[in-house]
Each structure stands twice: as C-alpha cells, then as structure tokens.
Amino acid sequence: MEIDITEPRGVKRKAPDRPPPRPPKRIKALDQDVVNKIAAGEIIVAPMHALKELIENAVDAGSTSLEIAVKDGGLKLLQITDNGHGINKDDMAILCERFTTSKLKTFEDLTSIGTYGFRGEALASISHIAHLTVTTKTADSSCAWRAHYADGKLVPAKPGQSADPKPIAGRGGTQITVEDLFYNIKQRRLAFRSHSEEYAKILDVVGRYAIHCERVAFSCKKHGDSAMGISVPSNATTVDRIRQIHGSAVASELVQFSVSDDKWGFQASGWTSNANYHVKKTTILLFINHRAVESSAIKKAIDQTYSTFLPKGGHPFTYLSLDIDPHRVDVNVHPTKREVNFLNEDEIIDSVCATISVQLAKVDTSRTFLTQTLLPGTRIPTISASSTPTPSNNARRSHTKEPTPTNPASTSTSTSRNDSTLIRTDSKLRKITSMLPSSHTGPSSLAYTHSPTRVPTLCRLTTIKDLRAAVRSSMHASLTEIFASHTYIGCVDYTRRIAAIQGGVKLFLVDYGLLTNEYFYQVGLTDFGNFGSIRFSTPLSVSELVSVAVEAEKETDNPENEGVDWESVPAVVTRQLVEKREMLAEYFCLDITAEGAVQGIPLLMMGYVPSLAKLPRFLMRLGPCVDWNDEKGCFRSFLVELASFYVPERVPNLASPPSKKTTTTTASEVVGKGKGREMERSSADPEDDVMIVENVDGKGEAEEKRDEIAVRREELARMLEHVLFPAFRARLVATRGMLKGVVEVANLKGLYKVFERC
C-alpha cells in the first residue's frame, strides 16, 4: 500500500541558489576586417549598386564606350570594360584600399565636387565581398597590367605566385571583373530571389546612365549570349536613347523643356511626355549634377502637375537633369549616394513644374482618342441645328483613330458599381470660384516690402536636426495622407477657426488655427536660417509696441498676471531683444537696431502676411517665453512663438440686425480652451476679442463695423482656399497632436448603411 506523504503546510521552501551575476562585457575595438565588411555591406547592397559605382568610375575616366557583361544577375560575374585613360601601374598597389581617390584632397573639395565618385570606397568595398580583377592600360604604357584583389590588398592569381601586377596584352582603358559577389556573406546572397529580377535592375541602372551620358556608347548583355539587352551608340541623341530603351510609344510623345534661375543657382533641362501618353506608374529619371538620385518630393510635384492633363490613374514619363551650384548641394548624405540635399528645394521644384505645365499647355491643343464604331442596329444620334461644331472639335476629330469593330456580345455586359465608394469631388479639378475676379484689396495701409533675396545657407546645427527628427517621429501616417490629398470645402466658423475638408469619401471639420500653427512651426524648422523678410519703411519702436501689448494684457483677467511689474516689462523686453539682435537677425531675420527699433520681421511664406495687429504681443512674449539660456530650447520656443504669430486671427461672425443695446463677447467665452502649441500661451488674446458696438439708432459705427468684418472675412476666406490649404496639401506633416483638431462628421459608406436601414 502506497502512502502519499506531502510536505506539511506552512513550511517555507528554500530558494534555489542563483549563479553570481555576470560582469558587464568590455568594450573592444572591432577587427579591421569586420569593419571593412560592414562598410562594404552598406555601400554594395545588390549587384546593381556595384555596377552603378563601376559605371560612374568609367565615365569619370573619360570613357566613350562601356561594355557590360552579366552572369546570374551579377552574382556570378559582373564585368565592365571601358576605353578611358586607365590606371597607372604605380597606383595599382593602393587601388582597392579604403579612402584612396584621385578626385578629392580636402574636405572643402566636397563643396565643389564635379565628379560621380569622391570617397574612394567603391573598389575597396567590392574587394571585401567578391573576387576582384583589374586589367588596365594607359596611353603611355607599352602593355596592359592585370592585378587580383581580396580584402583591399593585392593577392596572387594562384597560390605560390607573386601578387604584383602582371604585364599582359590589352587595349587602352580598364576592365574590371567582379566574380562571386557576396561569396562570404551567405545571408545576403540567399536573400536574392531570382537572377532575372537582379538582371532587370541592372538593365534599369544601365538604361538611366545610357540616356543621360551623351556621346558615350553603352552595351549590356548576359555573359555568353549574342543578343544585347541594351545597345546604344555614342552618336545617338537623347530622344533616340529613350526610344531604344523605353520604346517608341513614349519617344514619339516627348516634349523638351529647360529652365534656369541665377537667384536659386540652378539649370534644369529634360524631356517629358505630353498628354497623349500615360502609364500606370510614374517613370522619372532624375539626375542632380549628373548623379542618378531619387526624390519623392520631385516625383510628387510632377504627378500633381500632370493631374490636370492626364486621366485619373494616368502617370507620365520624365527625364530631368538638374545642374545646381555645387556649393548649394550636399552629396555626402547617403552610403550609396542615392540621395542628395540641396538648398531652396521647394523653389526649384516649383520652377521646374511651372515650366513643364507651360510646355504641356502649348502642345495640349489636340489629343488622340480611341473611338468605337456604331454597332449594328444602333440609332445614330441627331444633332440639333443650334449645336454647330467648333474649330477645336474639328481639330480633335481629325486626329481620331477608328479601330475595327468589336464583338457586340462583349459590350452587352456592364460592370456593377458600388455607389458608396464614389467620390463626387476631385481635389485636382479646378473650382468655378477660381474663375471669378478677386476682390482682394491688398494688405493693410502699413508700409512694408518683401525681401526674400537672402543668400541661402545650409543648416548643419544638431539642435535643429533633433527638432526635425522629433516632428518626423510624431508623424501620423493616415492623417498626413488625408491632408496630402484633401479637397478644401470652405470655412465653417471664422471665430472658432473651423473649416471643412473632404478626404476620400469622408468629411472632416478641422481647426485651421491648429493646422496653421503646426505648419509654420515645421516651415520654421525646414527653412531655418533662410527666412525671407518683411521690411518696414519706417522702423517701429520695440518699447512702444510692447507697451501696447502690456496695456491690453492688463485688461485681461488672467490669474497668471498677478504680481507682474508691468511698468518694467517694455524696458526689460527691449533690452533682451537688443542684446540678442545679431543672433535674431542671422537665424530668424528679425532685424532690430541698437536703438531698439524693429526694421524687419521674418517672412515664412510668399503671398501670406501675418496679422500685424498681433506684432505687439509677439514681441512682448519673446522676452519671458523664450529660453535664452539653452540653444535647443531657444530655437524651439522662438519658433513656437513665431508660428503662433503667423496663425490667422479670429474674425467675428457678422452682427445681427441693429438694436439699441451694446453687446460684448470675449474670445474666451466663444472659443474655450486652446489646442496644440497655442495652449502654451494665455487663453485670452486681446486682439482676438469679438466686439460688436452699435449706436442707439442702429447705424453709423455698427454698419462700419459690419463692413470691416465682411472685408476681413473675405480676405481670410481667399487666403485659406488659395494659400494656406494648398500649402498644407503640399508639405504638411500631420503629427499625432493634431488629432484633437480633426473631427470626422460624415462618411459616405456609413450614410449608405443608414439609408439602407430606412
């Protein structure tokens, strides 16, 4: 008989012995071979990147003919042969060492670099992840020289032989053979799914440079095949090169364009498709200073330009070559040199897109349409006598193609549509209000001028980069997409600053005050140090302006103002701004004289001037609300105040019919609490108060007040529709904090469900 003996309850079990904690791992320097392989993996991501580096080196060497052979998508063999000036035998010993180059001597040379390569890392990186062979011959050499490389050093072709370059017979130029790419990085090699896909990417790279490099012949084929994947002669024109690589369909519909502007320091030229050609995916061949790069901003701008010329879902083909002053371009921002940064990006893109739009409008007098012949038994539609054909219709009809009749049975079926997914409005279509004459009377009578001609500078401050990264990290993807493709409907409430927009099949109410605040904060970070300037013809005294703001602040019932020595505020703020005037002028274009007078204020957007009635409060808040002791805090708090200054003022609603009493309503009663960054300031803004004052007889000042409000509402409505909301669509990054200012009020799909139940 077995007896289950359990431990008595309440007995504390002894905890198992734990091993002693491990000491922290020591920091050690990586082996140089590991460092080189890591760097090589960043620069050479795929065979196409290795070939891109080799093509650029060949073109830099003055080659007029490039022959490329590929095997197994470039993983087994990648060979390029050129007829350039070659490599000296004495330089072959250090050819594949890192940071050895003939194109760069000092770091300052980067500001005027004019070649493709400059870092001297391409061959070094390839030699660490592949078997590299170089055969070269210069014009003054009696023979060619061949050398083998591994891990950046010369190695013998066979064990036991010398590693020095061997003399052989060869032609002028250089031949570089890359074998067994990623042989020592198995995970990278196994990640490539098919050789055909890699070969297609290689053809795309070769095709881009074949179109751009004039007077250079290109040929690319699979190793062992007689058929050429790409073959372009050296005397081919740009259009002929596009025809041979992308086909006659696009080459026959190309329009040439060119634009230059010494103010922004750039020249642009290229070819783009007209309105008769469109494909399902945008094709953009972009070269900046002859370097093949990518730019989502340029691609988006070109798509928006073509949206008025192409049918929905149609996209263009564009080859664009941008020559920008090297001092305005930073080429050392990406390991594979796929991206570059340059100054005045928005202005340059706008100039290029405006030129393309003009060229498209010139050739948009006729288009080619496909028509279908009448089916048997179909009645011919009659045309009334009053509807006479216009010359434009005759011109279009003369360019119409008529294909052969189709099967009648194939047209009898109709596809069912889902009405709940249809969008009635399109943000890309022109509104009828844009055709009406504008009654804008211009800005206020205060004399000032715009001065956007400041010499651009490239901001390299770490604090600004950190603030930009903070904005990007808080981005809300779906909300950003809504604003990027929204349709502006109109302003709902000028007092609460609420507007209506449509995004897809949804209707939203948005706080345009919050949106404007966030937008100008981001503009301040993006264009930091490159603001324009609003210059006053007569300098304004800082002390007097702050005194005006102080008097208005005294009248508010803000509990935070208790105990403030208001008499000393103008002098303290003026002294603070005068001491920081050099920094304010350099970074923010806030021009203050030594005598304490304002000569100019920052201009963040052309075509938009902030309400100058808010200038006194803006200057007053710069004293206590800006952290002058910390660089990052100073830049952030100043841009917050500047963005708040640029927020449109609240405009009162139109007054009711005249009465015999006086009504006063404050903004704090109507608007309530602030949102977003505006919560940092006082909730009661004197300039935002809604005041309706009427005479006893109901005329006079009341009517003048209503007329003034009507004019302000009209100016604000025009500014919202034609300036601010188009700017939001172009470059606003919606952050998670903006969710509180966006409310969905209608959804087409939801409305259909409601009506279906009814």
Side-chain angles (χ1 to χ4, degrees):
M1 181 177 179
E2 297 181 358
I3 301 176
D4 185 11
I5 301 177
T6 60
E7 295 182 1
R9 299 182 64 183
V11 177
K12 185 176 181 181
R13 290 176 294 179
K14 188 176 182 181
D17 295 335
R18 296 182 178 179
R22 296 180 180 179
K25 294 182 179 180
R26 300 296 300 274
I27 299 176
K28 298 180 181 180
L30 290 175
D31 185 78
Q32 192 63 32
D33 181 64
V34 178
V35 174
N36 292 332
K37 288 182 179 179
I38 293 175
E42 293 178 349
I43 297 172
I44 310 300
V45 181
M48 58 177 290
H49 296 107
L51 180 63
K52 175 179 177 293
E53 299 287 348
L54 298 178
I55 291 176
E56 291 178 348
N57 287 342
V59 176
D60 283 339
S63 305
T64 59
S65 176
L66 275 71
E67 301 174 5
I68 301 166
V70 181
K71 185 177 182 180
D72 292 347
L75 295 174
K76 185 64 178 177
L77 174 68
L78 192 61
Q79 186 180 76
I80 179 171
T81 306
D82 65 63
N83 61 349
H85 53 62
I87 304 170
N88 291 323
K89 176 182 177 295
D90 297 336
D91 295 336
M92 297 186 72
I94 62 172
L95 177 64
C96 291
E97 292 183 6
R98 293 188 67 191
F99 308 117
T100 55
T101 179
S102 61
K103 306 160 187 174
L104 191 68
K105 292 183 180 180
T106 63
F107 181 78
E108 287 72 17
D109 293 340
L110 276 176
T111 60
S112 59
I113 195 73
T115 57
Y116 290 102
F118 54 87
R119 289 189 297 226
E121 287 189 290
L123 292 177
S125 300
I126 295 174
S127 68
H128 282 88
I129 55 177
H131 301 302
L132 181 64
T133 303
V134 178
T135 304
T136 183
K137 180 182 182 298
T138 59
D140 57 353
S141 177
S142 59
C143 63
W145 298 90
R146 175 172 293 174
H148 302 269
Y149 297 89
D151 296 332
K153 300 178 181 178
L154 285 169
V155 295
K158 295 181 180 180
Q161 296 182 355
S162 174
D164 295 334
K166 302 295 188 298
I168 62 170
R171 64 181 184 179
T174 304
Q175 182 184 77
I176 298 179
T177 305
V178 180
E179 297 177 289
D180 300 324
L181 191 62
F182 302 118
Y183 75 95
N184 52 358
I185 308 179
K186 295 182 179 180
Q187 295 85 351
R188 179 74 62 84
R189 191 178 180 91
L190 294 174
F192 299 107
R193 292 176 291 183
S194 69
H195 297 160
S196 299
E197 183 177 350
E198 297 305 316
Y199 181 65
K201 294 179 181 179
I202 287 175
L203 290 180
D204 179 69
V205 172
V206 176
R208 289 174 180 266
Y209 282 93
I211 293 174
H212 179 72
C213 298
E214 298 179 352
R215 295 181 295 277
V216 179
F218 282 82
S219 65
C220 181
K221 67 175 184 177
K222 291 184 178 180
H223 181 70
D225 289 358
S226 58
M228 290 287 182
I230 288 179
S231 179
V232 178
S234 59
N235 59 353
T237 63
T238 302
V239 176
D240 292 336
R241 292 168 183 261
I242 295 176
R243 178 179 289 106
Q244 294 184 27
I245 296 171
H246 293 276
S248 300
V250 59
S252 59
E253 303 289 351
L254 291 177
V255 178
Q256 189 175 15
F257 65 91
S258 63
V259 60
S260 62
D261 194 332
D262 295 336
K263 177 182 177 181
W264 308 121
F266 82 98
Q267 292 181 348
S269 61
W271 295 81
T272 188
S273 57
N274 59 25
N276 287 332
Y277 176 85
H278 60 88
V279 288
K280 295 182 179 180
K281 185 178 180 181
T282 302
T283 302
I284 294 183
L285 310 181
L286 175 61
F287 287 81
I288 297 181
N289 289 358
H290 305 288
R291 190 184 308 279
V293 296
E294 297 177 0
S295 174
S296 58
I298 294 179
K299 181 179 179 181
K300 180 180 178 181
I302 292 178
D303 276 335
Q304 290 181 346
T305 301
Y306 271 88
S307 62
T308 58
F309 296 93
L310 299 181
K312 187 175 182 181
H315 298 279
F317 170 93
T318 302
Y319 159 63
L320 172 61
S321 177
L322 272 174
D323 291 332
I324 305 176
D325 184 3
H327 294 85
R328 298 170 178 256
V329 182
D330 187 0
V331 297
N332 192 27
V333 298
H334 197 275
T336 63
K337 293 175 282 190
R338 186 181 63 185
E339 300 174 0
V340 296
N341 289 341
F342 56 93
L343 297 177
N344 306 112
E345 179 179 3
D346 294 336
E347 290 79 3
I348 292 176
I349 293 176
D350 290 342
S351 298
V352 172
C353 290
T355 302
I356 292 177
S357 181
V358 171
Q359 294 298 323
L360 291 176
K362 290 181 180 179
V363 300
D364 195 31
T365 55
S366 65
R367 296 188 187 179
T368 302
F369 297 93
L370 294 179
T371 62
Q372 179 163 344
T373 57
L374 293 175
L375 299 176
T378 305
R379 295 173 53 189
I380 300 178
T382 59
I383 304 177
S384 60
S386 60
S387 59
T388 58
T390 61
S392 61
N393 291 336
N394 292 332
R396 293 177 182 270
R397 202 171 289 118
S398 64
H399 290 81
T400 303
K401 298 179 181 179
E402 294 189 0
T404 57
T406 57
N407 185 8
S410 62
T411 60
S412 60
T413 59
S414 60
T415 57
S416 60
R417 70 176 187 178
N418 187 2
D419 293 343
S420 64
T421 60
L422 297 180
I423 303 175
R424 186 173 183 181
T425 61
D426 188 352
S427 61
K428 305 179 183 63
L429 296 179
R430 187 179 182 186
K431 291 187 176 181
I432 193 172
T433 54
S434 63
M435 305 178 187
L436 302 177
S438 175
S439 59
H440 178 55
T441 59
S444 61
S445 58
L446 184 61
Y448 60 88
T449 58
H450 292 173
S451 298
T453 57
R454 186 178 182 181
V455 178
T457 59
L458 184 62
C459 179
R460 301 180 183 272
L461 297 176
T462 305
T463 51
I464 295 299
K465 293 181 179 180
D466 293 341
L467 293 174
R468 293 173 181 171
V471 173
R472 290 192 297 268
S473 63
S474 62
M475 182 183 73
H476 193 282
S478 59
L479 191 58
T480 302
E481 183 178 357
I482 290 174
F483 283 113
S485 60
H486 79 274
T487 301
Y488 177 77
I489 297 177
C491 185
V492 177
D493 192 325
Y494 291 94
T495 303
R496 296 174 179 168
R497 293 188 288 210
I498 298 176
I501 64 172
Q502 178 179 336
V505 294
K506 297 180 180 180
L507 180 66
F508 299 93
L509 291 181
V510 297
D511 182 352
Y512 66 80
L514 176 62
L515 266 62
T516 310
N517 193 298
E518 179 64 32
Y519 172 76
F520 282 113
Y521 176 75
Q522 295 177 13
V523 170
L525 291 176
T526 305
D527 300 340
F528 186 84
N530 296 291
F531 300 148
S533 178
I534 301 176
R535 310 292 299 179
F536 298 108
S537 57
T538 302
L540 307 176
S541 172
V542 175
S543 179
E544 294 179 2
L545 291 174
V546 175
S547 299
V548 173
V550 166
E551 294 301 325
E553 192 70 21
K554 288 181 180 179
E555 298 177 0
T556 63
D557 297 331
N558 192 349
E560 297 180 358
N561 296 337
E562 296 182 2
V564 178
D565 184 10
W566 293 108
E567 301 299 329
S568 62
V569 169
V572 173
V573 173
T574 303
R575 183 173 63 254
Q576 182 75 46
L577 296 181
V578 170
E579 292 176 356
K580 305 293 183 180
R581 67 182 186 277
E582 295 182 359
M583 184 269 290
L584 295 175
E586 179 181 0
Y587 290 145
F588 305 105
C589 276
L590 181 58
D591 190 0
I592 298 178
T593 63
E595 293 76 17
V598 182
Q599 290 183 327
I601 59 177
L603 174 65
L604 299 186
M605 176 191 292
M606 290 298 296
Y608 176 78
V609 178
S611 174
L612 297 180
K614 301 173 66 175
L615 181 59
R617 182 176 176 82
F618 168 64
L619 295 175
M620 182 190 70
R621 288 183 60 85
L622 291 183
C625 298
V626 175
D627 186 1
W628 299 103
N629 299 321
D630 178 67
E631 179 179 318
K632 184 176 181 180
C634 175
F635 292 161
R636 182 192 177 279
S637 54
F638 187 95
L639 292 177
V640 166
E641 295 300 327
L642 183 60
S644 179
F645 171 55
Y646 263 78
V647 173
E649 61 178 342
R650 306 182 192 272
V651 179
N653 292 321
L654 292 176
S656 56
S659 62
K660 294 185 178 182
K661 66 178 182 178
T662 300
T663 305
T664 302
T665 308
T666 62
S668 58
E669 298 173 0
V670 177
V671 178
K673 296 183 178 180
K675 297 181 180 179
R677 290 189 174 87
E678 289 190 276
M679 293 182 67
E680 298 179 5
R681 60 180 186 170
S682 174
S683 60
D685 290 344
E687 68 271 15
D688 286 346
D689 285 348
V690 181
M691 185 74 71
I692 303 174
V693 181
E694 301 173 355
N695 287 341
V696 176
D697 56 358
K699 299 181 179 179
E701 293 184 5
E703 294 180 356
E704 294 179 0
K705 188 72 174 180
R706 283 195 295 269
D707 294 340
E708 178 186 353
I709 292 175
V711 173
R712 290 166 60 191
R713 285 165 58 99
E714 183 180 356
E715 293 180 357
L716 180 57
R718 183 192 62 82
M719 194 67 63
L720 289 174
E721 181 176 1
H722 300 292
V723 179
L724 290 179
F725 274 86
F728 299 160
R729 187 185 302 115
R731 59 184 294 188
L732 176 63
V733 177
T735 58
R736 288 185 289 271
M738 295 171 58
L739 290 173
K740 65 181 71 175
V742 180
V743 178
E744 179 184 334
V745 295
N747 187 333
L748 187 58
K749 295 181 180 180
L751 292 176
Y752 266 87
K753 292 180 180 179
V754 171
F755 287 116
E756 286 175 358
R757 289 198 298 267
C758 297

